[in-house]
Amino acid sequence: MRVAVIGGGIAGLSAAFHLAAGGAEPVVLEGSPQVGGKVRQARLGDLTVDVGAEAMLARRPEALDLVRAVGLADDLVAPEPVPAMVFSRGRLRPMPPTVLGVPADLDALASSGILAGEVISTPVPVPQHDVSVAEFVAERLGREVVDRLVEPLLGGVYAGQADRLSLLAAAAPIAALGPDLVVGAARARAAAPVDAGPRLMGLRGGVGRLVGALVERGGFEVRTQATVRRVRRDADGWELVVGPTTAAVLERFDAVVMAAPAPAAARLLAEAAPRAAFALAGVDYASMVVVSFLLEGADLPAGTGFLVPPVESTTIKAATFSTRKWAWLAEAADSATVVRTSVGRAGETALLQRDDASLTEAALADLRAIVEPEGRIGEVAASVVQRWGGGLPQYEVGHLDVVRRVAEDVATVPGLEVCGAAYEGVGIAAVVGTARAAAERILAG
Ligand SMILES: Cc1cc2nc3c(=O)[nH]c(=O)nc-3n(C[C@H](O)[C@H](O)[C@H](O)COP(=O)(O)OP(=O)(O)OC[C@H]3O[C@@H](n4cnc5c(N)ncnc54)[C@H](O)[C@@H]3O)c2cc1C
């Protein structure tokens, strides 16, 4: 069975991996010159660093299973167990225990100084319908908890805005806390097994190595610069138009796995699955930029980095002290320091129109202003800017209905499956989970 896998991000590559392992003949059709999508590496001075995803959730099996299946098990590494901080009200402050920003200990929160006011917890029953994360938390704990704790934590995952993100799709652990959020958060944290192991894992050499390993050991065909322009189903299977506009060719397949982001999937499925296409067309994306620095003579404050609440109005929304977080990188960097900053949230499109030099300058200025009262940034030996236009899908209020509508329509079309970050979670583990399930349905079909 020849299967077209449209999109060579981690979803497409892992779908192809499972299809090939199950005896099918997948062909990955990737529009850009390189596979991997948002899992990508770049040179920073003499180092190779992740400039997209850099860690994988370890509390669910899919990503780590894939790492083991492609032979990288020995290179799995946990980040250093050092907490991150929050830059709030003029200084870096320790992050108190929370569940996605919902405080589990009001004394620890008060002594962190992150908030100006006192938190008064008002228990309110959890609604049956979806609401925004901001509305849900503000009603129970006040707006400042949203602005200075929930926003930066959700921003770190979705680059999104709590006023638009769905409680049920983007913050299910908060919805599960019950009517009294603080009591629920304390209970949830106490219930977490002590020996649960690290929440996240990385790879020695960077998570980006997963892409190369999938391509080398996957046993499937990969074509780059192979944009899919049209997808049509007829009585004998599928006909795709593939390639540059001036030299596009028709190709036939027995089945299709759509692993491109929602806007492309919406365009391409308009004929074969119009109701799914319509639902996907409504999924918005946040664009962002990752600016990485190689620093000489830096002396960073404690922690693996910091988050910045949007109300602080900085250009950067987070910084990771990568050489403190990852021992393999510290070793490779020798005496130098790697810091990775994230710029941009959903709706901040103007920022991304700035050129690389101006983004680098703004990120560095923020880094200095935030870090230098307590440490030193030193000299910049190298920097690299990675733009992520359409970087992260926004799971807005009602997203679970979008996913249900897509799944229902796709299920009526024989030989079609969808997978990727637009559906059941944006992290690598969730994405790989959707890809594996899509491949299994095709193989069973
Ligand atoms: C800066 C950043 C940091 C992140 N950090 C983490 C992290 O630390 N941990 C984590 O778990 N997740 C992280 N994520 C999220 C995660 O990386 C992504 O959600 C995931 O990699 C998306 O995979 P995907 O295959 O669904 O989509 P993509 O990576 O977007 O891949 C889709 C591919 O489809 C191709 N395509 C589009 N249209 C067509 C077409 N018409 N024809 C052919 N090809 C097409 C695109 O070129 C692209 O290569 C991060 C994301 C970003 C942006």
Side-chain angles (χ1 to χ4, degrees), residues 103-335:
D105 177 343
L106 292 185
D107 292 336
L109 175 60
S111 55
S112 76
I114 291 172
L115 307 188
E118 195 191 337
V119 175
I120 296 165
S121 179
T122 312
V124 182
V126 181
Q128 298 291 312
H129 59 281
D130 199 8
V131 293
S132 76
V133 185
E135 182 185 339
F136 184 80
V137 176
E139 190 180 11
R140 289 157 183 79
L141 297 176
R143 186 72 212 189
E144 213 189 0
V145 170
V146 174
D147 288 345
R148 294 191 178 269
L149 286 167
V150 176
E151 281 280 18
L153 274 153
L154 279 180
V157 182
Y158 290 95
Q161 297 178 0
D163 278 312
R164 298 184 64 177
L165 289 175
S166 151
L167 176 68
L168 298 179
I174 296 183
L177 297 178
D180 189 322
L181 292 186
V182 178
V183 169
R187 199 183 296 134
R189 289 190 61 103
V194 191
D195 57 355
R199 202 176 67 81
L200 296 169
M201 292 290 273
L203 281 177
R204 190 172 294 114
V207 158
R209 286 184 58 213
L210 182 56
V211 173
L214 273 163
V215 171
E216 274 164 37
R217 296 180 208 164
F220 51 83
E221 185 183 341
V222 176
R223 288 194 224 152
T224 52
Q225 291 181 307
T227 302
V228 177
R229 304 195 173 271
R230 188 168 174 195
V231 175
R232 247 173 37 95
R233 186 164 182 277
D234 56 31
D236 302 324
W238 295 84
E239 186 182 76
L240 270 57
V241 177
V242 186
T245 36
T246 47
V249 292
L250 279 182
E251 284 207 48
R252 295 204 61 86
F253 294 91
D254 303 306
V256 167
V257 173
M258 174 57 72
R267 278 194 308 278
L268 293 171
L269 293 180
E271 285 177 66
R275 283 193 299 275
F278 186 75
L280 284 166
V283 178
D284 209 359
Y285 275 66
S287 294
M288 54 192 293
V289 183
V290 172
V291 187
S292 306
F293 294 98
L294 182 67
L295 306 170
E296 297 284 0
D299 176 17
L300 300 175
T304 48
F306 57 84
L307 299 167
V308 189
V311 284
E312 293 290 341
S313 304
T314 51
T315 301
I316 60 174
K317 68 181 173 72
T320 304
F321 302 161
S322 305
T323 31
R324 180 149 317 132
K325 187 168 177 181
W326 303 109
W328 65 265
L329 188 58
E331 211 175 291
D334 201 4
S335 62

Side-chain angles (χ1 to χ4, degrees), residues 5-14 29-39 51-57 156-157 200 207 226-229 258-261 264-265 267-268 285-286 288-290 325 340 342 386 388 390-393 419-422 425-431 434:
V5 178
I6 304 176
I10 210 69
L13 295 175
S14 40
L29 301 166
E30 164 57 43
S32 78
Q34 67 188 89
V35 287
K38 276 99 194 182
V39 181
V51 290
E54 50 124 34
M56 298 165 288
L57 203 55
V157 182
L200 296 169
V207 158
T227 302
V228 177
R229 304 195 173 271
M258 174 57 72
R267 278 194 308 278
L268 293 171
Y285 275 66
M288 54 192 293
V289 183
V290 172
K325 187 168 177 181
R340 155 182 159 132
S342 311
Q386 174 65 51
W388 291 115
L392 285 158
C419 59
V426 300
I428 294 175
V431 170
T434 64

Side-chain angles (χ1 to χ4, degrees), residues 238 255-259 269 410-411 413 415-419 437-439 441-442:
W238 295 84
V256 167
V257 173
M258 174 57 72
L269 293 180
V410 168
V413 186
L416 175 66
E417 294 295 340
V418 295
C419 59
R441 285 191 298 268
I442 294 275

